Amino acid sequence: MEYAALLFTLLISLIGAILDKPPLWAKCAIIFLILASSSVSGYKIWRDDQDKQAKQLFDTEVERRTIALSISDLNVVHPQILGWLQSKGYTAGTDCRTWGDGVLCDVQEVQGRDKWDLPLRRTDLAALYLYALKTKPSLSPEAFMYLDALFTRGGRAVPLMQRTDLLDTTALLAANSLYESCGFGPNAMRVSDKLEFLLDYQRDAVLRTTVLAQPDPSLWAMDEDPPKVFHRLITQYRRSVAVQDNQCKS
């Protein structure tokens, strides 16, 4: 739209520069082009304003739904995740576990494809839920686009190094690494002054704490799909858990 408006404006200027006393037909054409250019520009401004308002309303609803998110809501979201994975060639399903402020989906391995883990914050789940409601019971193209932005490279996706949700995402991976290593999740999780994750749990009536450090920044810079990077990190965390508690597996 904006390119068409620019073209009209340039054309009008060109005609005005060439013709000092244009004939009647040229005057009519210039008037038409001016009106068309103004209409196109006006429509674009109106459309941008409508899109902005719609996004603000959606973001507000996501915030509200994030607080009220329930298990039944996750049942609406799960088919969207499965459908998106199938579109990427992962047809064996996924095991999604809820912990704290989100869900980790452990994608079942498919021969010839990388192992994937999908950490989803409550905000992500709320957005997917709202997208799913629009097209229920069909799969949502908007939900697929949202997952593409989270878990693929290029296009609308934000590189991992530039994402603002990495601390929350890493916390989900840390919590689930304890579950995968020991068979249970933490009773509580804290963040130290050094941004280490302190996972508190109880074994044999003894309170234990496992410490998991933030990953090296080079991990986020790897030229791989984010789910593969997340799987690398959770594998590192499992090894660290096993070193600190010999009853857990790496």
Side-chain angles (χ1 to χ4, degrees):
M1 286 294 184
E2 57 187 324
Y3 293 116
L6 179 59
L7 179 60
F8 284 145
T9 303
L10 289 174
L11 189 55
I12 292 167
S13 301
L14 182 60
I15 292 174
I18 294 174
L19 301 176
D20 291 333
K21 296 180 180 180
L24 180 61
W25 69 266
K27 291 180 180 179
C28 292
I30 291 173
I31 292 172
F32 172 77
L33 290 173
I34 291 173
L35 292 175
S37 177
S38 299
S39 298
V40 170
S41 298
Y43 174 78
K44 185 179 184 304
I45 293 171
W46 174 83
R47 186 67 189 178
D48 288 346
D49 185 61
Q50 292 295 305
D51 291 344
K52 184 178 180 181
Q53 290 183 32
K55 186 178 185 307
Q56 289 175 341
L57 288 173
F58 183 79
D59 290 344
T60 300
E61 184 60 20
V62 167
E63 290 179 9
R64 188 190 70 79
R65 176 53 60 179
T66 297
I67 298 172
L69 203 66
S70 66
I71 295 298
S72 61
D73 293 341
L74 299 182
N75 292 335
V76 175
V77 170
H78 195 243
Q80 305 294 328
I81 298 172
L82 287 178
W84 179 80
L85 284 170
Q86 288 173 1
S87 74
K88 303 300 180 185
Y90 287 84
T91 56
T94 179
D95 175 25
C96 294
R97 296 185 295 275
T98 305
W99 191 90
D101 287 329
V103 162
L104 179 78
C105 292
D106 181 18
V107 181
Q108 301 300 314
E109 290 191 58
V110 174
Q111 187 174 5
R113 294 190 175 272
D114 296 324
K115 184 70 177 70
W116 276 13
D117 281 301
L118 309 179
L120 292 157
R121 302 167 302 148
R122 287 180 67 88
T123 301
D124 301 322
L125 296 168
L128 292 171
Y129 172 78
L130 293 174
Y131 286 137
L133 286 186
K134 293 182 182 180
T135 59
K136 189 179 178 181
S138 302
L139 297 177
S140 166
E142 289 178 298
F144 279 30
M145 289 172 62
Y146 189 92
L147 290 167
D148 278 339
L150 284 178
F151 298 124
T152 62
R153 290 172 291 170
R156 298 175 62 248
V158 178
L160 285 175
M161 287 288 287
Q162 299 176 24
R163 282 174 51 168
T164 59
D165 64 339
L166 278 183
L167 184 62
D168 293 339
T169 299
T170 307
L172 278 172
L173 295 169
N176 278 276
S177 68
L178 184 69
Y179 176 85
E180 291 190 10
S181 295
C182 306
F184 51 79
N187 296 333
M189 185 168 68
R190 299 164 288 135
V191 179
S192 72
D193 294 339
K194 298 179 180 179
L195 297 182
E196 298 167 318
F197 296 111
L198 309 178
L199 280 62
D200 299 328
Y201 63 98
Q202 197 167 13
R203 188 199 294 280
D204 301 327
V206 176
L207 182 64
R208 299 170 180 265
T209 298
T210 290
V211 181
L212 298 176
Q214 288 288 325
D216 190 286
S218 63
L219 180 71
W220 304 131
M222 297 184 72
D223 186 24
E224 295 178 332
D225 290 325
K228 183 177 180 180
V229 176
F230 295 142
H231 178 68
R232 286 182 184 276
L233 179 56
I234 205 168
T235 300
Q236 292 176 16
Y237 277 164
R238 286 181 56 176
R239 292 180 184 136
S240 181
V241 169
V243 168
Q244 297 177 62
D245 187 335
N246 57 18
Q247 294 187 54
C248 298
K249 59 184 181 180
S250 61

